[in-house]
Structures are given as structure tokens and as C-alpha cells.
């Protein structure tokens, strides 16, 4: 059975009609397809192409871009809480962040409506997620005055998080997806929306060139000083915190979006499956720690990833990820 049910999955038994598409096994019977230099998990290939063909951001849109497992769910909760903070309703208590803030290629263009349900919100500001790399979606995002928020996370925690996430997807008795394989694939860039390093660097570079357009933040920075970055985000989004109780407002948002609080809402603890995703709501919340990779990656794996991090990040002036 394919990992996802409502979009076609291509495999050796069911090849993609365009046989020129380069494919690589990811795990079990799941494949990644090469698209414009990046590896896209096969069910997301067509939706990604549709985003590229069809999506036109509005100037008021806020786009949350990220590589998978780097803090997307957390940022969705934070952005929603910052932007709609005056609302009396508290939808985060009853709605999963991924449903409150849908992603382009994994939801809005995944379903048959082909992006028509982009009119999903009554709010003046649409917040939309995407994992599509800057090299593919950059021109589209630059075609309007929309704002982009990019979150990243150190490569080893991102990889460990992805490995755990995938373990929930399948019974791996006959064809296990080992940490060794996951590390090798990651180091070779064969990972959904990867290579990871090629995903992170252009968003970072653009945020340096045009800080009014792209806000770049790391998972670790948010963990260290959530208040500081929530204030910065609000300023970037043009809705700075004001008034006598502004410190309390910021504290409240940081607290309500913390792993401890967010992961304890019934909806986020639920083992039910969301409508368009084959993993339960609770699979987006594991432990949200920094450095948890130490519990899963062997020293030689850490060396292998660190060597690439030095070569890709440090050599280009981004001293991060080790
Ligand atoms: P996605 O790209 O599939 O949406 P994403 O939300 O980016 O996934 O990553 C999930 C990770 O964020 C999980 O990390 P872990 O496996 O290392 O635990 C998840 O626990 C973590 N996470 C989710 N919400 C929060 C939060 N509020 N604070 C900190 N970490 C969080």
C-alpha cells in the first residue's frame, strides 16, 4: 500500500508516464523523483509542478518555507498566533497547525481541486506553507510583495526527526529503513526536497540581501530565546507588539506555541489521520529537542554529516549545524 493514498505513487510496478524522470528508491516501495535538481517524493511531484505553473502569491500573503522536519509545525503555530493575535477565537486549541495553515504542494495542490481551495480563509492575510526550494519557487515568490519566513534546523536533528517520522509510516519488518541508509541518502542529497544544504543556503542568502522580504531563523535560536525572535517576526510582518502589556502578549504566544503546551492539545495528541495525510496528527510532535540526534547517530555518522556541513555551510560563511 502506498504511503499516501489520494495521489498516485510511482514505483517500478507503476512507473511515471514520463520515463525521463530520474528516480531513486527512498524506503520500502517509496520513490523520490528528480525535479529541477531536487528530490521530490513521488506523490508530491505533480502537485509541485502545479504550484510552479499556477500559484500566484498575493502581496498580503505570508509564505512559510522550510525543509521538512526543521520546525514547520512550530512556525505555523507561531505565525498564526502573531498575525491573528487580536482574534478572540483560539483555533490552535482545536486545530492542528498544518490544517490551520495549509501547505501548497502537500495540501492545497495535492487534492483534485488544484489549488482552488486557496480561498480557504476569511482572513485578510493568508499564511501558506511550502517545502519547495528557492531555486524552484523563488521567482514566483518574488513576483509579488508577499513576505517569506524561512526556518531551518541543524542537519543532524532534522535527519533524526525525519527518520523517526518515517518509522511511523510503515511496518519495516522485511525491508527496514535503517539509520545508516537514512544518513547515506541524506549525505547524497537523496531526501525529500533535498539536498538539504542546497535548500537552506539560497533562502539564507536572499534573507541577507533583502531582509525586508525574507526572514531567516533557526530552530535553535527559537529554542534559546523565543521572545526575541517572536518580536522580530512581528516587526518583520509589519505588526509589531505595542501597548503596555506587549511583553505579556509575547510571553503568552511563546508559551502557547511551546512544544509542551502545543503537543498536549487533544487534536495534536490524536492518533487519528488528517484527511489528506497518512500519518496521525500526533506524528508531528515527538520531543522537539535540540541535539537529540546524539541518541541515534553513531560517531562516524556524525563525522560524515559534519564534514559535509563544513564544506557546504561553513565554507560559504554560514557557521552553523555542527
Ligand atoms: P514537517 O516539515 O513535516 O511539517 P516539522 O514540523 O518541520 O515537520 O518538524 C517536526 C519536528 O518539530 C519534530 O521534531 P522531533 O522529531 O525532533 O521531535 C517535532 O517534535 C518538532 N516540533 C513540533 N512542534 C514543536 C514546537 N512547538 N516546539 C519545538 N519543536 C516542535
Amino acid at each position: 500500500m502506498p504511503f499516501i493514498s489520494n495521489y498516485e505513487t510511482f514505483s517500478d510496478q507503476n512507473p511515471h508516464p514520463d520515463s525521463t524522470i530520474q528516480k531513486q528508491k527512498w524506503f520500502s516501495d517509496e520513490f523520490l523523483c528528480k525535479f529541477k535538481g531536487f528530490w521530490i517524493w513521488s506523490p508530491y511531484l505533480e502537485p509541485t509542478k502545479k504550484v510552479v505553473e499556477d500559484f500566484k502569491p498575493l502581496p498580503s500573503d505570508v509564505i512559510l518555507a522550510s525543509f521538512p522536519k526543521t520546525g514547520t509545525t512550530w512556525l505555523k503555530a507561531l505565525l498564526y498566533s502573531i498575525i491573528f493575535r487580536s482574534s478572540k477565537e483560539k483555533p490552535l486549541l482545536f486545530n492542528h497547525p498544518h490544517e490551520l495553515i495549509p501547505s501548497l504542494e502537500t495540501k492545497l495542490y495535492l487534492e483534485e481541486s488544484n489549488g482552488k481551495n486557496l480561498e480557504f480563509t476569511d482572513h485578510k492575510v493568508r499564511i501558506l506553507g511550502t517545502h519547495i526550494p528557492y531555486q524552484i519557487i523563488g521567482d514566483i515568490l518574488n513576483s509579488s510583495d508577499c513576505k517569506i519566513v524561512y526556518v531551518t534546523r541543524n542537519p543532524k536533528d532534522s535527519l533524526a526527526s525525519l527518520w523517526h517520522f518515517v518509522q511511523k509510516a510503515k511496518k519495516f519488518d522485511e525491508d527496514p529503513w535503517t539509520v545508516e541508509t537514512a544518513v547515506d541518502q541524506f549525505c547524497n542529497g537523496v531526501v525529500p526536497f533535498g539536498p538539504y544544504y542546497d535548500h537552506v543556503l539560497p533562502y539564507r542568502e536572499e534573507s541577507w540581501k533583502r531582509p525586508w522580504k525574507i526572514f531567516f531563523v533557526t530552530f535553535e535560536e527559537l529554542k534559546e530565546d523565543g521572545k526575541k525572535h517572536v518580536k522580530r517576526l512581528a516587526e518583520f510582518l509589519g505588526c509589531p507588539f505595542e501597548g503596555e502589556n506587549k511583553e505579556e502578549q509575547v510571553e503568552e504566544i511563546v508559551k502557547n506555541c511551546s512544544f509542551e503546551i502545543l503537543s498536549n492539545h487533544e487534536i495534536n495528541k490524536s492518533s487519528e489521520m488528517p484527511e489528506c495525510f497518512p500519518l496521525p496528527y500526533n506524528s508531528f510532535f515527538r520531543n522537539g529537542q535540540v541535539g537529540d540526534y546524539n541518541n541515534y547517530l553513531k560517531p562516524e555518522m556524525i563525522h560524515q554529516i559534519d564534514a559535509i556541513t563544513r564544506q557546504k555551510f561553513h565554507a560559504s560563511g554560514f557557521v552553523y549545524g555542527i
Side-chain angles (χ1 to χ4, degrees):
M1 208 181 80
F3 184 33
I4 199 162
S5 55
N6 64 342
Y7 219 91
E8 200 166 8
T9 301
F10 303 108
S11 64
D12 282 343
Q13 287 71 42
N14 179 29
H16 192 282
D18 180 354
S19 58
T20 58
I21 288 182
Q22 206 184 329
K23 283 187 318 176
Q24 280 266 350
K25 177 178 170 176
W26 181 20
F27 63 84
S28 189
D29 55 355
E30 302 298 336
F31 278 79
L32 299 173
C33 300
K34 198 96 177 246
F35 178 59
K36 295 182 187 278
F38 286 84
W39 290 104
I40 313 288
W41 182 40
S42 61
Y44 294 152
L45 178 63
E46 295 306 315
T48 299
K49 288 181 180 171
K50 281 192 203 138
V51 173
V52 173
E53 281 161 22
D54 183 73
F55 177 57
K56 291 182 187 51
L58 302 174
S60 52
D61 284 349
V62 174
I63 309 292
L64 169 65
S66 60
F67 187 80
K69 303 295 146 205
T70 56
T72 321
T73 312
W74 190 8
L75 259 292
K76 283 187 175 184
L78 283 171
L79 287 175
Y80 195 94
S81 307
I82 293 169
I83 292 171
F84 303 125
R85 63 184 181 266
S86 58
S87 162
K88 294 226 162 41
E89 290 167 32
K90 300 285 170 227
L92 271 173
L93 293 177
F94 310 105
N95 297 274
H96 194 280
H98 278 290
E99 295 204 321
L100 220 44
I101 300 184
S103 289
L104 292 169
E105 68 287 351
T106 61
K107 180 150 169 76
L108 293 170
Y109 282 85
L110 182 71
E111 294 156 349
E112 280 167 9
S113 59
N114 287 343
K116 287 203 186 78
N117 49 6
L118 269 164
E119 293 132 29
F120 64 94
T121 175
D122 303 335
H123 293 295
K124 282 199 192 116
V125 177
R126 296 188 305 190
I127 314 172
L128 303 165
T130 187
H131 288 319
I132 302 179
Y134 191 78
Q135 293 90 322
I136 298 178
I137 203 171
D139 286 347
I140 296 168
L141 301 184
N142 288 327
S143 67
S144 98
D145 284 339
C146 69
K147 300 244 178 201
I148 305 167
V149 174
Y150 187 82
V151 61
T152 195
R153 185 181 193 184
N154 84 67
K156 291 167 286 189
D157 278 332
S158 306
L159 170 60
S161 181
L162 179 70
W163 183 75
H164 280 98
F165 188 72
V166 168
Q167 296 304 315
K168 295 200 177 198
K170 290 251 177 185
K171 288 210 168 24
F172 280 104
D173 303 344
E174 280 167 24
D175 184 12
W177 192 54
T178 62
V179 183
E180 283 79 1
T181 305
V183 169
D184 267 351
Q185 289 175 335
F186 186 87
C187 290
N188 286 306
V190 186
V191 56
F193 299 98
Y196 159 89
Y197 300 92
D198 295 354
H199 198 290
V200 178
L201 283 172
Y203 278 108
R204 178 177 179 269
E205 203 180 308
E206 285 302 316
S207 78
W208 275 83
K209 287 191 201 148
R210 294 179 301 142
W212 62 91
K213 174 79 177 174
I214 305 192
F215 183 98
F216 184 96
V217 69
T218 69
F219 187 99
E220 297 77 18
E221 285 170 334
L222 278 166
K223 274 275 178 190
E224 199 180 317
D225 193 346
K227 276 174 64 181
K228 173 175 155 189
H229 298 290
V230 163
K231 283 185 204 164
R232 285 182 58 225
L233 259 172
E235 277 159 28
F236 168 78
L237 296 167
C239 54
F241 289 91
E242 284 163 350
E244 270 178 24
N245 68 343
K246 65 180 180 187
E247 289 301 317
E248 285 89 341
Q249 289 180 51
V250 176
E251 264 166 38
E252 193 71 3
I253 288 177
V254 172
K255 189 181 86 193
N256 288 339
C257 295
S258 67
F259 182 87
E260 292 67 29
I261 300 281
L262 207 58
S263 63
N264 267 306
H265 297 325
E266 287 308 320
I267 181 71
N268 298 333
K269 284 197 288 187
S270 163
S271 50
E272 257 178 60
M273 304 280 191
E275 230 173 71
C276 77
F277 201 74
L279 285 184
Y281 286 111
N282 63 20
S283 55
F284 293 88
F285 298 91
R286 191 175 60 93
N287 62 23
Q289 297 293 314
V290 174
D292 187 46
Y293 68 84
N294 281 302
N295 297 316
Y296 303 97
L297 304 185
K298 295 182 187 143
E300 58 272 24
M301 298 174 181
I302 294 176
H303 287 309
Q304 193 183 347
I305 298 172
D306 284 352
I308 302 174
T309 304
R310 268 188 215 97
Q311 188 195 335
K312 299 276 187 182
F313 278 175
H314 295 206
S316 61
F318 185 30
V319 183
Y320 173 73
I322 293 192

